[in-house]
Amino acid sequence: MSFLFGGRPQLSSAEKISAAESEIEMVSDMFNRLTQSCTKKCIPPDYREADLNKGESVCLDRCVSKFFEVNMKVSEKMQSEAAVKQNPAGGMGFGM
């Protein structure tokens, strides 16, 4: 009954496994979207060299950085909106 006192309820083994599988799926999806997006933007489809040139390398570095920055901002926004929905009596979420 830890949920009565503000603690998180204990998860069963099946729930832990399910949560871990969901997390792996989300991370894999994010990696695939990152790879597709940045490759499409930074690597020309008719490349002839085995190694990245300087421009491609810089483009990929910036693309990955922006992808993670946007991902973090979206996650923070979604978490703050979820917190407001869970606690409507509070009125305002953090950072507002």
Side-chain angles (χ1 to χ4, degrees):
M1 288 202 180
S2 63
F3 63 90
L4 293 176
F5 301 105
R8 295 179 63 181
Q10 297 297 318
L11 299 176
S12 69
S13 292
E15 290 172 325
K16 288 178 183 178
I17 290 170
S18 178
E21 288 173 344
S22 294
E23 187 170 350
I24 288 171
E25 201 172 302
M26 288 188 308
V27 169
S28 296
D29 178 59
M30 184 178 67
F31 176 78
N32 289 333
R33 287 186 291 122
L34 167 78
T35 303
Q36 290 173 352
S37 176
C38 292
T39 300
K40 183 177 179 181
K41 180 178 180 182
C42 298
I43 310 292
D46 60 342
Y47 62 90
R48 299 180 193 271
E49 299 173 13
D51 296 329
L52 295 174
N53 64 35
K54 177 103 173 161
E56 293 165 343
S57 181
V58 169
C59 180
L60 286 170
D61 187 48
R62 288 180 180 164
C63 182
V64 170
S65 177
K66 287 178 183 179
F67 189 93
F68 280 116
E69 184 178 337
V70 168
N71 194 349
M72 289 300 297
K73 287 181 180 182
V74 168
S75 294
E76 289 170 2
K77 179 71 172 167
M78 290 176 71
Q79 286 176 358
S80 67
E81 288 181 6
V84 168
K85 286 181 182 178
Q86 286 181 350
N87 189 12
M92 292 175 55
F94 295 108
M96 291 186 173

